[in-house]
Amino acid sequence: MRTTRRTLLLGALPALSLPALALAQPGWRPDRPVRLVVAFAPGGNVDFTARLLAPIMAERLGQPVVIENRGGAGGVIGLDLVAKARPDGLTFGIGSSGTLTISPLTTARMPWDTWTDFTFIALAYRVPIVLANSATLPARTLQEFLAYAKANQGKVSAGSSGIGTGAHLGIELFNHGSGAGLTHVPYRSSGAAYPDLVAGHLHCMFDQLSAALPLHRDGKSRILATGSAVRSPQVPEAPTLREAGIIDAELSTSIGLLGPARLPPEILEALRSAMAAAVGDATVQARLLDLGAEVATPAQMNGRHYLAVTQEELALSRQAVEIAGLKPE
């Protein structure tokens, strides 16, 4: 039986308080519960990730991991708590691409700096952004969709979760690389757009693979291409945008662990090791893979790689923001 997103979320909600000495590892250990900041409201991918990882991290650290949801301003408010926390290992957070690489380009007054106010602890996984079209369209492949869009320049609508989001920037990069001429239609969230996609009022969507998979599996929409480096095992029939010669860089969102700047090496390593243990858990990996996540390898699960991925994403975001003509507000 296929695991649904609701089942995954419910399965990730057991109490996070664990015996203080359970499976604690040598090295630094906190002497009280630690705070894991989620810069978004409960229920989304970032919150799901935190609730999935926290129990195992708590076992490794020997203290409860308490999740604190602080949504607002596209994640900027929540990460401000992390940036301004003491570097004592008692406060860390989940970092996401849009907040770290898009918000600094579209927000006039940022309370923190991505490169100087955080310690990059480790990359957990990446989720490709995909192009999914309505099943009501005649196009069943990327090539057919491109032909349809070019024959109907400016009349093919492309939904996103809002102006300045990763999905919106994906649309801009797609138009730039393909000449498809899609018309961007921003919604308040991707969930609000999917009913229109299913009904055929919206021709296509750019969204994370994890969100697009359920409708693809149910035959209500078709994933035509992915922004991943290689084809996704979840939709092996869909070519990558790089393979199609449309977007050369990897188009995805990344999720990782962040701490405040100047985090001591022994604390950084303890938090990295705890996260690596959680991501490496077989049950956790199965849930992430079912959502289309590309889980970081052990060699990639460190701060250097996470920083490098974020720098690459910033360069791509800057290109897309320039194409879209977005200005900081």
Side-chain angles (χ1 to χ4, degrees), residues 115-205:
W115 316 115
T116 62
D117 291 335
F118 298 107
T119 297
F120 284 74
I121 297 171
L123 175 70
Y125 65 86
R126 303 179 79 173
V127 177
I129 290 177
V130 301
L131 161 63
N133 77 334
S134 172
T136 63
L137 281 184
R140 303 185 65 85
T141 66
L142 176 61
Q143 291 74 20
E144 291 174 356
F145 177 80
L146 285 172
Y148 179 85
K150 290 178 180 179
N152 295 274
Q153 281 279 325
K155 299 178 181 179
V156 178
S157 55
S160 80
S161 52
I163 294 175
T165 61
H168 172 206
L169 300 188
I171 293 170
E172 299 293 346
L173 291 168
F174 183 86
N175 276 340
H176 182 73
S178 69
L182 305 180
T183 298
H184 178 221
V185 181
Y187 286 75
R188 66 179 183 276
S189 68
S190 60
Y194 279 113
D196 284 349
L197 184 72
V198 172
H201 304 314
L202 183 67
H203 295 113
C204 71
M205 274 282 296

Side-chain angles (χ1 to χ4, degrees), residues 235-313:
V235 280
E237 70 278 11
T240 69
L241 293 171
R242 177 182 292 175
E243 179 184 343
I246 296 174
I247 301 176
D248 186 55
E250 187 168 351
L251 184 63
S252 64
T253 60
S254 62
I255 298 291
L257 207 63
L258 292 172
R262 299 176 298 280
L263 202 62
E266 64 275 14
I267 296 179
L268 187 156
E269 176 52 29
L271 294 175
R272 188 209 66 79
S273 178
M275 194 208 77
V279 174
D281 178 80
T283 300
V284 171
Q285 286 221 359
R287 288 178 172 177
L288 291 175
L289 292 173
D290 192 59
L291 289 176
E294 299 173 347
V295 179
T297 66
Q300 296 171 335
M301 217 168 288
N302 57 67
R304 292 185 303 278
H305 183 72
Y306 187 20
L307 177 62
V309 166
T310 305
Q311 290 171 333
E312 291 172 5
E313 290 175 343

Side-chain angles (χ1 to χ4, degrees), residues 23-29 60 270 273:
L23 299 181
Q25 301 299 303
W28 176 86
R29 290 185 294 173
R60 298 282 294 198
S273 178

